[in-house]
């Protein structure tokens, strides 16, 4: 029990952690290039925030939220998604008074959903996402879709499918909802339990049923019910995407699991991810800011699953390489000089080198074996005699040669050797 992590959670050990860092820096770089500012919100919020924004009849709120009561009796929830919290922060931080649109992003934030764990689906997972608050213009939707695609293709991922739909606005959606109920009524008996609930509360979600695709395939397309404004918006978005040279598929049955979406919805999938093929999902949420007590503020964004992105990169052989070993190992030839070796290692680190040293009191031979195991190309051996001359032995571990170098020239000599080696590796790779 004590050595088992909770179901649906993952540890990120050092080799993996380096991959996470590489991904996160890619996202920070790209977000900066597009002019988005980073936002970090708390891991937990008032549960009501998600009930109001994600929606009472959604799987997330009904079945998947980690809700708890704190010692003062407040009902709190571990965040199941990022948008509601970003909107809350946008309002609370006074950003709604800033020049609009305000463009925000988060990279690698932990989210929590009590879902059935399987490959690509966890109870604690991480998302990166962007939100553009304060623009109803289809150019904002286009930028958000383009950013998602840029993010993924910039990592070398191919075979991506972008699916796009418009789910209308509060003006045109009610008629479609009614039409959808009419369409589903004859199927009521054969619908799954979830769908029978959705029939009354959230009929759009019927289109998303994974149990029986038959009724959804035969359903009338939503786009036929869009009002003129929604149609114009959707066409203009496609015009921008075409101009950007982005390939996408129109999917009139694409809906999303969160209630706050209006007009644009999109999803990016990767073929190698199996059942959980969705890498990234997003869309427009024009009513959310106002529903949470802010001024009318149309907005659009997406969220991307970091674990799934790493799985897709691994499946394509694109996972960032494991971190390199140290540049140099500083060994002590005898117990009497261990403190001097440690001080020298500290000096070399301050000069910018990556330095390992012995923390186990090993013999010099065992230290050198350890240095080779760590992959250090060079070792500095600190011995009493050399120290008395103000020098140390520098051993080229790969070639088996060694030389004596004055201590005050050691950092410079090593830096030269390390740089030369990197240049050779760079030109070979
Ligand atoms: P959503 O917030 O449901 O729109 O999901 C956006 C993205 O987050 C999905 O496309 C997935 O990549 C990722 N995601 C959602 N739920 C999970 C989960 N339980 N485990 C891992 N990734 C998830």
């Amino acid at each position: 029990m004590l050595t088992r992590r909770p179901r649906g959670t993952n540890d990120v050990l050092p080799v993996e952690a380096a991959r996470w860092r590489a991904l996160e820096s890619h996202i920070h770089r790209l977000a900066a290039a597009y002019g988005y500012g980073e936002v970090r919100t708390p891991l937990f919020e008032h549960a009501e925030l998600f009930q109001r924004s994600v929606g009472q009849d959604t799987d997330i709120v009904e079945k998947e939220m980690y809700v708890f009561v704190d010692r003062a009796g407040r009902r709190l929830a571990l965040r199941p998604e990022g948008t509601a919290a970003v909107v809350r922060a946008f309002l609370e931080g006074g950003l709604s008074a800033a020049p609009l649109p305000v463009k925000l992003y988060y990279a690698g934030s932990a989210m929590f959903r009590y879902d059935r764990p399987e490959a690509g689906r966890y109870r604690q997972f991480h998302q990166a996402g962007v939100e553009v608050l304060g623009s109803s213009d289809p150019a904002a939707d286009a930028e958000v879709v383009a950013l998602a695609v840029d993010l993924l293709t910039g990592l070398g991922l191919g075979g991506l499918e972008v699916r796009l739909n418009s789910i209308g606005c509060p003006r045109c959606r009610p008629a479609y909802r009614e039409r959808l109920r009419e369409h589903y009524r004859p199927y009521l008996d054969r619908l799954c339990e979830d769908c029978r609930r959705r029939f009354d509360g959230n009929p759009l979600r019927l289109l998303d049923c994974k149990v029986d695709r038959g009724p959804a395939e035969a359903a009338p397309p939503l786009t036929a019910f869009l009002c003129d404004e929604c149609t114009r918006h959707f066409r203009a978005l496609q015009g921008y995407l075409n101009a950007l040279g982005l390939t996408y598929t129109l999917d009139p049955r694409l809906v999303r699991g969160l209630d706050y979406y209006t007009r644009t919805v999109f999803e990016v999938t990767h073929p190698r991810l199996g059942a959980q093929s969705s890498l990234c999902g997003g869309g427009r949420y024009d009513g959310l800011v106002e529903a949470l007590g802010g001024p009318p503020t149309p907005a659009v964004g997406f969220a991307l699953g970091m674990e799934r992105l790493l799985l897709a990169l691994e499946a394509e052989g694109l996972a960032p390489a494991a971190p390199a070993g140290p540049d140099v190992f500083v060994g002590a030839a005898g117990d009497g000089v261990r403190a001097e070796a440690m001080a020298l290692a500290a000096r070399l680190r301050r000069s910018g080198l990556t330095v390992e040293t012995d923390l186990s009191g090993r013999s010099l031979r065992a230290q050198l074996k350890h240095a080779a195991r760590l992959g250090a190309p060079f070792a500095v051996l600190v011995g009493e005699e050399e120290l008395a001359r103000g020098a140390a032995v520098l051993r080229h571990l790969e070639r088996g040669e060694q030389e004596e170098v004055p201590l005050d020239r050691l950092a410079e000599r090593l830096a030269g050797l390390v740089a030369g080696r990197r240049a050779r590796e760079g030109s070979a790779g």
Side-chain angles (χ1 to χ4, degrees), residues 60 64 80-82 113 115-116 118 120-127 256-258 260-261 267-268 273 276-282 302-309:
I60 293 181
E64 298 171 5
E81 62 100 47
R113 293 184 197 173
D115 206 342
R116 194 171 42 78
E118 61 173 356
R121 185 162 66 194
Y122 312 103
R123 290 184 174 165
Q124 175 177 322
F125 60 100
H126 299 78
Q127 287 184 333
R256 312 237 352 107
L258 300 88
Y260 50 62
Y261 286 109
E267 190 164 51
V268 186
L273 282 176
Q276 301 302 324
S277 65
S278 164
L279 262 182
C280 166
F302 72 72
L304 173 139
M306 300 285 282
E307 283 84 355
R308 287 190 203 170
L309 178 51

Side-chain angles (χ1 to χ4, degrees), residues 89-165:
F90 165 82
L91 290 172
E92 195 169 348
L95 297 181
S96 55
L100 300 176
V102 169
K103 307 205 296 183
L104 301 172
Y105 81 100
Y106 50 93
S109 310
M111 305 292 166
F112 306 86
R113 293 184 197 173
Y114 191 79
D115 206 342
R116 194 171 42 78
E118 61 173 356
R121 185 162 66 194
Y122 312 103
R123 290 184 174 165
Q124 175 177 322
F125 60 100
H126 299 78
Q127 287 184 333
V130 310
E131 317 287 354
V132 178
L133 296 131
S135 168
S136 61
D137 195 291
D141 308 51
E143 177 173 289
V144 163
V145 176
L147 205 167
V149 173
D150 249 9
L151 197 164
L152 298 168
T153 52
L155 292 163
L157 270 186
L160 298 166
E161 194 192 3
V162 180
R163 289 185 304 135
L164 186 69
N165 193 20

Side-chain angles (χ1 to χ4, degrees), residues 212-286:
D212 180 0
R213 293 297 302 150
E217 301 295 345
L222 212 163
T223 30
F225 284 74
L226 296 182
C227 62
D228 287 350
E229 262 186 69
C230 285
T231 305
R232 262 202 306 280
H233 191 276
F234 195 36
R235 290 223 180 102
L237 164 60
Q238 291 169 55
Y240 283 120
L241 295 180
N242 296 341
L244 286 166
L246 288 180
T247 315
Y248 56 89
T249 316
L250 295 181
D251 179 352
R253 287 174 188 87
L254 177 67
V255 288
R256 312 237 352 107
L258 300 88
D259 270 1
Y260 50 62
Y261 286 109
T262 51
R263 292 190 169 165
T264 313
V265 291
F266 74 98
E267 190 164 51
V268 186
T269 54
H270 189 268
R272 302 281 289 274
L273 282 176
Q276 301 302 324
S277 65
S278 164
L279 262 182
C280 166
R284 180 161 276 287
Y285 50 95
D286 287 345

